[in-house]
Amino acid sequence: GDCRSVTADLVGVHCIRASKGAFAAIRADGSVITWGYARVGGDSSSVQDLLHGVAQISATEGAFAAILANGSVVTWGEERFGGDSSGVQQDLTEVHQIQ
């Protein structure tokens, strides 16, 4: 994971998670920075507007799931690894932990 493109943004990081080819870092302000292979979660631009107040991130082989402070969940990455939760989004409320 070459992080040169996001090095300036990696300030105040308190948690980093990895998929098979990407990384996601939670910053102290609850925002998320991602890098690595786009297909497996290195590109979170499609959900970046939702990634505020992130409390926790979990990773699979090819996707990430972020629990927000309000208990909702945002996912991104490869669909077959859980990167698309749109089919169950209405059920992803009051979530406290993902393993």
Side-chain angles (χ1 to χ4, degrees):
D2 183 355
C3 66
R4 285 180 283 186
S5 64
V6 296
T7 299
D9 296 321
L10 294 175
V11 176
V13 170
H14 71 86
C15 178
I16 297 178
R17 295 288 182 253
S19 70
K20 192 168 185 175
F23 296 90
I26 304 175
R27 298 191 322 182
D29 65 1
S31 62
V32 173
I33 304 298
T34 59
W35 68 97
Y37 291 114
R39 191 180 80 224
V40 293
D43 179 4
S44 59
S45 60
S46 65
V47 295
Q48 195 62 49
D49 290 346
L50 303 173
L51 292 174
H52 299 283
V54 174
Q56 178 185 336
I57 292 181
S58 293
T60 65
E61 186 174 334
F64 293 94
I67 300 175
L68 307 186
N70 67 5
S72 63
V73 176
V74 176
T75 60
W76 70 97
E78 198 162 330
E79 183 177 347
R80 68 186 175 125
F81 292 113
D84 180 5
S85 58
S86 60
V88 294
Q89 196 64 49
Q90 71 280 358
D91 299 320
L92 295 175
T93 61
E94 299 181 34
V95 175
H96 301 285
Q97 187 173 4
I98 297 173
Q99 292 185 321

